[in-house]
Amino acid sequence: MQARSIGDVRVGAIGLGGMPMSIEGRPDEERSVATIHAALDAGVTLIDTADAYHLTAIDVGHNETLIARAVAGYGGDTSEVLIATKGGHLRPGDGSWTQNGSPEYLKRACDASLKRLGVEAIGLYQFHRPDPTVPYADSVGAIRDLLDAGKIRYAGISNANPEQIRLANEILGGRLVSVQNQFSPAFRSSEPELELCAELGIAFLPWSPLGGISNAGRLGSRFAAFQQVAQDHGVSPQQVCLAWMLAKAPVVIPIPGSSRPETIRDSVASAELELSADEFSRLDAA
């Protein structure tokens, strides 16, 4: 698989999003582990998780623990696998999502993630979502402190606007390596953030790039241009979607969520799909 950069690390151009393996509707652990192993077999070296990917208040960090166990149990070389996790977004256990961006909480959350992942330093740690009750600079300052302390190797942010991206990069002393925002054919409002990341050379990691768990299977029926290009190439509309994102800028690294080996294999194949200039223009205008 072609490689792209997060900081000075090269990773496969398609990552794996772990959330579907741990929230509502999650599969049994055997299938989840098979999915992670299939991703590694296919050349995926970026796996994205978060401490908030769980069901109840008593299984916080379920996805982190699952991924750590699956990677540790993989028979091949995992030395180049970058596990990215996030802190600052919480699930109390009633299905809702809340935020806590206080520096004290983020530092505790990072320590807990370190233990679940079983590492001395987290590969990529991302501030999950801005907390309206805490100054953004204070939250990012905690991420800077974690970076300076060596508890994380690289620092990123998620669900950020252009102003927050610039501020975070300033607070981190130019060490912001990634921005993870929602982006898909149905959700194009993160175009300014993508363009800014391309300008600054910061990796842009689209989450829910296929439209989310409930919509991914209907991508072709919702967007005719993607269905038509897929038919022309004899591939899935989902492959076309990810290839379109990769063609938008060399900093884009989609992280489609998956809980089945066959879906992550299909996603990875998009890295080899070449779109013509006309096809890209048609998709980009869809």
Side-chain angles (χ1 to χ4, degrees), residues 144-209:
R144 177 201 58 215
D145 293 346
L146 292 168
L147 189 60
D148 290 342
K151 291 189 175 184
I152 65 177
R153 291 172 56 203
Y154 298 99
I157 55 177
S158 183
N159 301 297
N161 62 35
E163 180 181 357
Q164 290 165 335
I165 294 171
R166 293 187 184 278
L167 177 60
N169 200 35
E170 179 182 344
I171 292 170
L172 289 164
R175 294 177 292 172
L176 179 68
V177 301
S178 66
V179 173
Q180 183 178 149
N181 275 19
Q182 184 176 10
F183 186 75
S184 70
F187 192 94
R188 300 285 294 272
S189 61
S190 285
E191 291 271 8
E193 290 82 8
L194 190 162
E195 292 170 3
L196 177 58
C197 286
E199 174 189 331
L200 299 176
I202 294 170
F204 184 82
L205 315 178
W207 62 265
S208 288

Side-chain angles (χ1 to χ4, degrees), residues 36-54:
I36 296 166
H37 287 178
L40 296 171
D41 286 343
V44 169
T45 53
L46 171 64
I47 302 177
D48 180 78
T49 181
D51 59 2
Y53 297 163
H54 60 89

